[in-house]
Amino acid sequence: MNKAYRIGKIIGIPIKIDISFLIVLPLFAWFFSSQTQPFGFAGIQSEIIKYTLSLLTAILLFVSVLVHELAHSYFTLRFGGSIKEIRLHLLGGAAVMKQEVHEPLKVITIVAAGPVSSIMMGVLLLFLGSTLNPVSLKDGNSLFLVVFILGYVNLFLGIFNLVPAFPMDGGRILRAFLSIHMDYVKATEKAVLIGKIFAVLIGILGLFIDIWLLLIALYIYGNASREEQLVKMIYRRY
Ligand SMILES: [Zn+2]
């Protein structure tokens, strides 16, 4: 397991940042500093303000991921499960379960809580940004740009996580729905198959639109396969 540093504790859960996170944080800050408005701060004259706002946005982006994971964790605890820790890493975050909850309806609530919290934050931030900002995003106060970008990213995070493909939350919601009517391994197999179909579709889309989508598709495909193997290993060993 990668090295991680503990930065605090929220609702009794240790929050850790993975060493890979420390590499990706400046990369995100650089990304925001190089994008033009309203998705970045490239237009700002003062270098200090530009990079400070970019770093602030990158940090708040990971705070958003933390809130998403805390929403999963809150319901896990409410339903009698337990969480070992929340880790922030290269690709976002993960709540590491100590004791999982298995009843399908509770699982659906736990998993859906993440994307729902992201979408709610996204809508709220976009609303706040557009209501409080007196002038257009192009010429307005740069701080509102931070609010707008975070709103946009949270909304994207929430909606993208609902794609029914592992490791996205949507894949877990789909499996939980399927497991109401069938055995857990069968439900996983079906959810994995649907996830792979989505991965192929995203991959094909990536060939025409953006090479990044192709990488995401490969990541989803790989994770879907891994999830299937993991579940089969745990449930069919004895
Ligand atoms: Zn999630």
Side-chain angles (χ1 to χ4, degrees):
M1 197 172 263
N2 287 344
K3 189 146 181 53
Y5 302 95
R6 190 176 149 153
I7 52 164
K9 205 174 187 182
I10 304 175
I11 54 171
I13 302 164
I15 312 296
K16 289 187 177 172
I17 50 173
D18 198 282
I19 196 140
S20 64
F21 168 84
L22 297 174
I23 300 164
V24 85
L25 192 69
L27 269 179
F28 269 103
W30 170 81
F31 174 79
F32 288 127
S33 75
S34 65
Q35 297 293 304
T36 49
Q37 272 150 265
F39 298 108
F41 307 95
I44 294 174
Q45 295 293 319
S46 158
E47 297 276 295
I48 294 176
I49 295 176
K50 179 163 83 180
Y51 289 113
T52 306
L53 288 177
S54 300
L55 186 63
L56 178 71
T57 309
I59 291 170
L60 290 174
L61 170 68
F62 278 91
V63 172
S64 305
V65 173
L66 179 61
V67 171
H68 176 110
E69 295 305 329
L70 280 169
H72 287 311
S73 306
Y74 172 76
F75 283 98
T76 304
L77 297 181
R78 262 192 75 161
F79 293 143
S82 59
I83 308 277
K84 185 170 164 252
E85 62 192 30
I86 289 176
R87 265 179 185 245
L88 295 176
H89 53 71
L90 189 68
L91 297 161
V96 183
M97 304 276 171
K98 208 154 48 180
Q99 191 176 348
E100 281 190 63
V101 175
H102 289 291
E103 290 121 285
L105 289 179
K106 288 180 179 172
V107 173
I108 291 167
T109 311
I110 289 170
V111 182
V116 168
S117 72
S118 298
I119 290 170
M120 275 165 52
M121 271 199 300
V123 171
L124 185 74
L125 287 169
L126 287 177
F127 175 76
L128 277 180
S130 66
T131 315
L132 298 176
N133 192 2
V135 268
S136 81
L137 280 167
K138 252 193 146 35
D139 323 298
N141 187 329
S142 307
L143 266 180
F144 284 109
L145 219 50
V146 177
V147 178
F148 174 80
I149 293 171
L150 285 170
Y152 194 80
V153 168
N154 269 289
L155 198 61
F156 176 78
L157 191 72
I159 292 170
F160 186 65
N161 256 297
L162 286 174
V163 172
F166 294 108
M168 252 63 84
D169 290 329
R172 290 176 207 291
I173 295 174
L174 177 66
R175 171 174 57 193
F177 265 116
L178 292 171
S179 72
I180 296 174
H181 303 292
M182 62 183 85
D183 147 56
Y184 194 68
V185 176
K186 260 220 153 58
T188 303
E189 281 172 353
K190 283 224 157 68
V192 163
L193 178 66
I194 293 170
K196 283 180 175 172
I197 293 171
F198 263 94
V200 171
L201 290 177
I202 293 171
I204 292 171
L205 213 65
L207 286 177
F208 295 103
I209 298 175
D210 195 323
I211 200 75
W212 276 104
L213 280 176
L214 196 64
L215 292 176
I216 291 172
L218 285 172
Y219 176 69
I220 292 174
Y221 198 95
N223 266 278
S225 308
R226 205 164 313 136
E227 183 74 27
E228 188 171 24
Q229 283 163 8
L230 194 74
V231 167
K232 281 186 173 165
M233 199 176 77
I234 295 170
Y235 288 84
R236 288 221 174 124
R237 192 187 290 162
Y238 304 107

